[in-house]
Structures are given as C-alpha cells and as structure tokens.
Amino acid sequence: MRILVVGGGGREHAIIKKLKENPSVTEIFALPGNGGIAKDATCVDIGAKDIDKITEFAAANAVDYAVVAPDDPLVLGCVDALEAKGIPCFGPRANAAIIEGSKVFSKNLMKKYGIPTAAYEVFTDMDAALTYLETAPIPTVIKADGLALGKGVIIAMTRDEAKDAVRSMMADKVFGKSGDQIVIEEFLTGPEVSVLSFTDGKTVVPMISSMDHKRAGDNDTGLNTGGMGTVAPNPYYTDEIAAECMEKIFLPTIAAMNAEGRTFKGCLYFGLMLTPNGPKVIEYNCRFGDPETQVVLPLLESDLLTVMQATTNGTLAETEVKFADKNACCVIMASKGYPTAYEKGFEMTIPEAVWNNVYVAGASLKEGKLLTNGGRVLGATAIADSLEKAIEGAYEMVKTIHFDNAYYRNDIGAKALKAGRN
Ligand code: AMP
Ligand code: GLY
C-alpha cells in the first residue's frame, strides 16, 4: 500500500508512525512533511493547501489511500479532488468539513438539532454587533466565522475588550474574510475535554479522551497557542459523562450532518466543556487535534489504517477500535518566544533511544542536520500505567533532547493529576 499524508506537523508525524505499524504499508509520502518526518516518510515539497499539485502527485505516484490531516485542505475540498481521481481518502468532503470551516454553520446546526452549546448571536454588521455588546452579559466570547489559524476566538473580560475584538475582526479584518461574519456567544465555564472520534457517517466511535494545554505559560497563563501539551485519558471525562455525550452530542451530530446532506466521514473532533449544566460543545474540528493526536494514537491498539479504511468504506460498525488501558502525556518543546516572535535554525539533538516517542512539528533538514523551523518544534510522548508515571516519563525524555532557545511548560498534566485524585 502506498499512502499519502497531507500535512507536516506533529499530528501528521504521529499518524505516519502509527500507519507504519501495518506491514502492508510499503511507502508513505508526506506533503509537505518536515525535516523530522523525513526519517519516517518520503517528504515531497508540495504545500498542504496546493490541492491541484496534491491530486496530480497522488495520481502520478499510484497512491492507494490518502489521509488529509489539516483543516485548510479539508475545507478547501482536498478529499473531493482526490476522490475525483479515484483515490480513497480519510477525511470529510468540503461540504462536511464546513462543520469546522464556519462557526456560523456549526452554531446554527447545533441550534437546529438541539445539540447543547453556548447561547449565541450571529452578526454580519459591525454596528449591530457593537450595539448588542452594550447590554450583552460580560465576559463574552467573540469568534470569527472562518478558519483563523486557531486564533479567531477572543474571550473578552470587559465590554471595551469585546468591542475592540469586534472592530479588529470586522473593520481591520485581522483574520481576512474569516471576520466577515462573527459569532458572539455566552461565556461558559468548566473543565475542557477533547474527544476525537472515528466516524463513517453511520457509526461514531469515540477515541480515548484527552486534555489540551492551550496557554503558553505554566498554570494556564500567557497567550493561547496551538497547544503546549496533552494527556490522555482526561480524568474529568467519566463513563457517565461519556454516555451522556454519546446520547446528546455525538449521535445527534452525525444524524444532523446526514439530515443536512453533509455526511461526515473521517475524524470528528468534539471540543467539549463540562459546564454545571452538562456537557456543551465549544467547537467542532473536522480533523485530528494537534497535539491531542500525539497522546491518542500511541494508545490505539487496533491497526490505524484498517480503522481509517473502515470510515471510508462505511464498515466501522464491524471494525475493532481498541485503546490501551494506560495513560499518555505529551510535552511540547517550542522555540522561546512562541506564539509571537521566535528564532529558528538551531540544531536539534534527539537521542535514538527516544525517537520512537518523538513527533516532530517544525524542523528542517540541512546537510544531514535537523534544525528548528517553527514555533512548536516537537512533542515527546510517554505511556505508562499511571498518569503520574506518564508525566514523569515525558519530562525525562524532554531533558534528553536539546536545541538552543527550547521552551516548554513544566506543568503538563498537573491539573489532570489533581482532578484524578479528587
Ligand atoms: P476554539 O478555537 O473554538 O477552540 O476556542 C479556543 C478556546 O477558547 C477554547 O479552548 C476555550 O478554552 C475557549 N472558549 C471558546 N468558546 C468559549 C465559550 N463559549 N466560553 C468559554 N470559553 C470558550
Ligand atoms: N488542539 C486543538 C486543535 O487541534 O484544534
């Protein structure tokens, strides 16, 4: 089997490492991949958003199966384009990827089908939004409609902050067309849980739950990032809550997408908040999370390729999806200064002994040397029988990896550990 993976971050590295466990996989192409992924796959210098070149490459290189991992190509119709060339894919078509591509779409979907989420209003007119904010409950949450590199959400603690956010999205267009429409929604509180799921449009199989750490600094301080670390499972997500989410959120979402003629196949990511009034959807993603994937897939005991193909073929109900009864912790090593300004080009040393547990997010390969090439550089994942040991293991690994200006949080998993003890 010749597999193509679209994308080039730590998530894609985790997907590739897992796919390689299947002996029928003879070749994996990563488009574009990165300097670290190059150790595990053939990297091809084609950008993840260059749909024409991706499909051309796939057709010319006898690719048997494609995995489209990032949000942008999914929303742009990469799966549709590959399928048109006869290449089966893991991932939703554009008409279903809209569940992440448009917050207005996903909020309206949840309202129409009674799926619990924060109360909200949609605005296409800036003055109307500003007038609404005169009396809206504070804190409030302002969201750009479209994709915004994960930065399109502002939690406003004051009325002025909320108005500034609206102006920056709708007048200054800091997120471009993504700010043509905005959602202003109720501020919710409670622990957050990420639940990734496999679905073939009929059956939905939740993966092991996880917890992201989005802020740059220890104790959840500093700016929001793409994620500084993860643990799985998430101790807040009890069996009872999981059953409630299946009944009130997961199954209704799959049914709603079918009813809208937008059958979703692939990985549907439920970003949940466990509020005092029950679990609510904070966001849907049409793809694997990053860095959630770096703790979830290492715990998958079933064959990833088989499960992915079952989502494509509609045979998920008959396919085993089993996770280890263990804990995983991933600590992200970033470049100092991330998520704002940072330097890159520093040589990285990753001991061979830990390579299997390292997922490279941002690196380039120059004359055989691995150099840092991004804000998030890599993630190190440890698996153990307890969360405490997994955290310890991940930090031990991080201490053996070196590059100048490396930065990581020191408290990944600390909140989960505390919750688990209560
Ligand atoms: P998102 O990009 O949708 O994942 O949002 C980023 C983060 O903003 C989430 O992980 C939450 O921590 C927070 N957030 C989003 N919506 C709300 C909300 N309605 N209430 C409170 N926090 C929120
Ligand atoms: N870790 C959050 C995301 O992938 O969107």
Side-chain angles (χ1 to χ4, degrees):
M1 289 276 291
R2 291 156 70 79
I3 317 270
L4 181 150
V5 174
V6 177
R11 163 185 57 201
E12 287 76 10
H13 201 179
I15 291 171
I16 287 166
K17 283 190 173 180
K18 200 74 197 174
L19 286 172
K20 277 180 72 175
E21 291 177 9
N22 181 321
S24 74
V25 173
T26 50
E27 173 102 57
I28 302 183
F29 299 105
L31 279 58
N34 67 45
I37 290 177
K39 244 182 127 167
D40 292 300
T42 306
C43 293
V44 182
D45 191 14
I46 293 177
K49 288 198 265 183
D50 201 338
I51 310 286
D52 290 344
K53 286 212 178 113
I54 293 169
T55 43
E56 240 172 69
F57 178 89
N61 288 277
V63 164
D64 298 300
Y65 192 68
V67 177
V68 183
D71 48 5
D72 282 305
L74 289 166
V75 170
L76 290 169
C78 192
V79 166
D80 310 54
L82 286 163
E83 283 180 350
K85 295 261 186 204
I87 297 160
C89 294
F90 180 79
R93 294 179 185 160
N95 75 343
I98 192 175
I99 198 164
E100 173 171 5
S102 167
K103 297 225 191 278
V104 173
F105 171 85
S106 64
K107 294 298 291 189
N108 289 343
L109 184 86
M110 288 185 268
K111 188 188 254 178
K112 182 169 171 187
Y113 293 93
I115 298 164
T117 189
Y120 71 103
E121 299 284 338
V122 175
F123 295 94
T124 48
D125 177 71
M126 185 171 73
D127 291 331
L130 294 173
T131 305
Y132 171 78
L133 284 174
E134 293 290 346
T135 52
I138 298 290
T140 188
V141 183
I142 321 282
K143 300 187 172 182
D145 174 47
L147 297 179
L149 297 169
K151 293 178 187 145
V153 175
I154 309 270
I155 315 280
M157 303 309 289
T158 66
R159 232 170 265 291
D160 283 344
E161 244 181 275
K163 288 181 183 173
D164 285 348
V166 165
R167 285 191 198 100
S168 70
M169 286 179 195
M170 301 192 88
D172 307 341
K173 298 279 176 203
V174 289
F175 304 119
K177 286 186 78 61
S178 288
D180 286 354
Q181 288 192 94
I182 61 163
V183 172
I184 301 185
E185 73 177 30
E186 175 195 9
F187 175 75
L188 299 176
T189 55
E192 283 186 60
V193 184
S194 305
V195 180
L196 285 57
S197 70
F198 290 109
T199 177
D200 59 3
K202 298 177 282 187
T203 302
V204 57
V205 181
M207 302 182 216
I208 196 163
S209 63
S210 54
M211 182 193 286
D212 194 2
H213 296 67
K214 285 197 166 138
R215 299 297 196 98
D218 286 357
N219 301 314
D220 291 332
T221 54
L223 294 172
N224 253 324
T225 71
M228 293 301 296
T230 34
V231 295
N234 185 322
Y236 290 105
Y237 193 70
T238 60
D239 290 347
E240 198 186 350
I241 293 173
E244 187 180 355
C245 289
M246 181 56 102
E247 183 201 337
K248 294 187 178 151
I249 297 174
F250 306 159
L251 291 171
T253 301
I254 300 302
M257 290 299 276
N258 285 333
E260 295 291 311
R262 297 174 181 273
T263 295
F264 190 104
K265 292 183 175 197
C267 173
L268 183 53
Y269 166 134
F270 299 90
L272 306 172
M273 196 172 266
L274 309 181
T275 77
N277 299 318
K280 296 195 178 180
V281 177
I282 286 282
E283 62 163 348
Y284 292 115
N285 290 325
C286 65
R287 50 165 178 89
F288 281 101
D290 190 340
E292 285 90 341
T293 307
Q294 291 91 311
V295 284
V296 169
L297 287 188
L299 292 172
L300 178 66
E301 289 183 335
S302 309
D303 176 57
L304 177 61
L305 180 61
T306 307
V307 177
M308 285 181 157
Q309 287 176 312
T311 70
T312 312
N313 301 335
T315 52
L316 194 56
E318 302 100 73
T319 305
E320 187 190 63
V321 185
K322 197 164 169 271
F323 285 86
D325 187 14
K326 294 192 173 188
N327 296 76
C329 173
C330 174
V331 175
I332 298 290
M333 296 179 78
S335 303
K336 197 171 132 204
Y338 172 74
T340 50
Y342 55 84
E343 289 178 66
K344 47 192 188 182
F346 298 113
E347 188 172 352
M348 301 158 61
T349 51
I350 305 173
E352 204 51 48
V354 301
W355 177 257
N356 275 343
N357 306 304
V358 168
Y359 304 107
V360 178
S364 62
L365 202 53
K366 271 212 182 98
E367 289 151 14
K369 286 183 184 162
L370 205 52
L371 306 179
T372 64
N373 191 34
R376 287 191 294 177
V377 174
L378 60 85
T381 298
I383 293 177
D385 288 330
S386 71
L387 176 59
E388 198 163 11
K389 289 237 157 58
I391 296 169
E392 255 175 50
Y395 278 106
E396 268 166 31
M397 236 185 284
V398 159
K399 290 197 178 93
T400 68
I401 298 169
H402 297 285
F403 55 89
D404 284 351
N405 283 9
Y407 168 77
Y408 54 87
R409 272 179 65 162
N410 291 293
D411 65 339
I412 301 302
K415 204 202 268 177
L417 206 52
K418 225 169 132 191
R421 286 198 180 118
N422 287 338

